[in-house]
Amino acid sequence: MSLEKAHAHDVRSLSPRLTAEYLEEHGLLPLHIEGSTMHVGSWHEHIDLNVRFELESLLGARVSMVRMQEDEVRRGIRAVYGESSAQSLIDSVQNTGEILSSGDSHAIDDLRALANEAPVIRLVSMLLAEALTARASDVHLEAYPDSMRVRYRVDGVLQDAPSPPRSMAPAVISRLKVMANLDIAERRLPQDGRIRLPLQDRQVDVRVSTVPTLHGESVVLRLLDQESGTLELNGLGMSVNDLTRFQHVLERPHGIVLATGPTGSGKTTTLYAAIQRLRTGREKILTVEDPVEYQLAGIPQVPVNEKVGVTFASALRALLRQDPDVMLVGEIRDGETADIATQAALTGHLGLSTLHTTDAAGALTRLMDLGVAPFLVSATVGAVLAQRLVRTVCPACAVPAPATGAERDALGAPGLENVMRGTGCGVCRDSGYVGRTGVYELLVITEAMQAALTSGEGVRAVRQLARADGNATLLDDGARLVAEGRTTPEEVVRVCRA
């Protein structure tokens, strides 16, 4: 068993004199003491000598370093040593009555004053910091008649978070509106804004969306961590075969490469990774996105702004006059954008974009539904990558278990013998999962598929040809991940079910 796994259930407070603030400042997580040795996790390469001496003097043991990821260390500190948390602040506010109880009928001046109260500022900051530590992609704040519910979306699944009392809801929402430069007086119309703030020694962009509901405003915060925004293609979880084929498609000088899947399935991350693979400094790469989620150094990125007439179609038309080699179009939403992207591919440009379809072949149907002629689809589309995201088993608490007959049937994997499952620990917040990886179905358009499209045989013929060529479906790729011990049958069935 690895050292991290051995400590997963054994991390506990070694001294009341150690505080979360001190440990986070120095990036340390005392794990446990074994004999005369104290194992300490850190994301730093070295511990400051003075800090090492303080720890050894305090606990009477020699320090042994264990390299860990920063988010793992921060989660451990907050879970074991974190007395100052959002929940403790909420409890203290309720006990002391620092925020006056009232309804949603505050005057504007009162709302502005409440938003600048010290407890409200601290609470909002703590909720955002704890969401980042929990690796949350979104924070949901929902108003109900007698409560305000806060939830974090972690690895694609919502989890309950510390929730302030209903009386604090107007102050918390007003604070977020002030931070996002929104109109705190407007509670009848949806609003969108953006916050950029330093959290945990990094700059984090927060997209803010508010909508009026029956019992008050609902707010969703999308956390965009610039330090974790992009990945390399070989870090996305593709099989070796799919990765090789996908890279060969990207090497073509022109054509369209599509990523498909529902919202939140990692399509943008895949396209960003493709851009990273393509860039050498000798080509002109441009993007048009709605919105620009992560900034790519050295690549001009155009945000869509429909209020002033900058749509995907108009921006794409303008970008064609910028002498591009590669263009990333955030999404093909309408016939005009599809037509311009097709013409660009015909005239020697490589285009990357996304569509919302359930499988790879469905993207071809979607393009034809948008008005692109079948012969143009066959001539321009080089490949379609359908994808989903599944949660990966927590490495700290994973245990093997025999696969059941129902699991083998669901995955179409009669030879599956064992699966890995997380039992739940502090590292994974008792969920059994940490992080996500992709499940892919790659359709590379062959000459036979082009002929089927052009002759009118349709997408069904393309699917049959893909199966005959041995192309793996989403379910097939999910079964591969289960066999490798990276995810569970339940996860694959959850995200890949038809």
Side-chain angles (χ1 to χ4, degrees), residues 198-217:
L199 284 175
Q200 299 179 354
D201 303 324
R202 68 186 80 177
Q203 287 293 324
V204 178
D205 282 335
V206 182
R207 290 214 314 265
V208 182
S209 170
T210 72
V211 296
T213 64
L214 185 61
H215 300 291
E217 289 180 279

Side-chain angles (χ1 to χ4, degrees), residues 71-194:
D71 59 346
E72 292 179 321
V73 173
R74 290 189 184 276
R75 282 199 305 273
I77 292 171
R78 286 301 177 190
V80 179
Y81 295 90
E83 296 180 0
S84 178
S85 65
Q87 187 59 61
S88 64
L89 178 58
I90 290 169
D91 293 339
S92 68
V93 168
Q94 286 181 304
N95 293 334
T96 61
E98 288 188 67
I99 301 296
L100 295 177
S101 177
S102 56
D104 290 334
S105 58
H106 290 285
I108 303 308
D109 289 341
D110 292 339
L111 285 173
R112 188 171 288 109
L114 287 174
N116 291 313
E117 289 281 351
V120 176
I121 294 174
R122 292 203 309 272
L123 177 58
V124 170
S125 297
M126 283 183 179
L127 285 174
L128 291 173
E130 290 183 7
L132 194 63
T133 300
R135 300 177 295 101
S137 60
D138 303 85
V139 180
H140 293 243
L141 300 94
E142 303 156 342
Y144 295 100
D146 55 356
S147 65
M148 181 183 191
R149 188 181 189 189
V150 180
R151 293 189 289 174
Y152 299 154
R153 187 177 293 280
V154 181
D155 296 331
V157 177
L158 286 172
Q159 301 178 4
D160 283 320
S163 298
R166 183 68 177 85
S167 59
M168 291 186 69
V172 170
I173 291 174
S174 296
R175 177 61 189 168
L176 290 168
K177 285 185 173 182
V178 168
M179 295 171 70
N181 293 317
L182 300 180
D183 184 358
I184 63 171
E186 182 53 76
R187 284 169 279 176
R188 300 166 301 172
L189 297 174
Q191 297 188 69
D192 294 299
R194 203 175 190 113

Side-chain angles (χ1 to χ4, degrees), residues 8-27:
H9 302 283
D10 201 25
V11 182
R12 62 190 66 190
S13 180
L14 299 184
S15 171
R17 294 172 61 185
L18 289 173
T19 66
E21 288 75 14
Y22 174 84
L23 294 173
E24 284 205 85
E25 178 184 353
H26 299 290

Side-chain angles (χ1 to χ4, degrees), residues 304-326:
V304 166
N305 188 347
E306 295 188 359
K307 292 180 181 179
V308 297
V310 181
T311 64
F312 276 116
S314 65
L316 183 54
R317 189 178 290 109
L319 292 184
L320 285 173
R321 296 191 288 270
Q322 293 278 307
D323 187 29
D325 297 295
V326 180

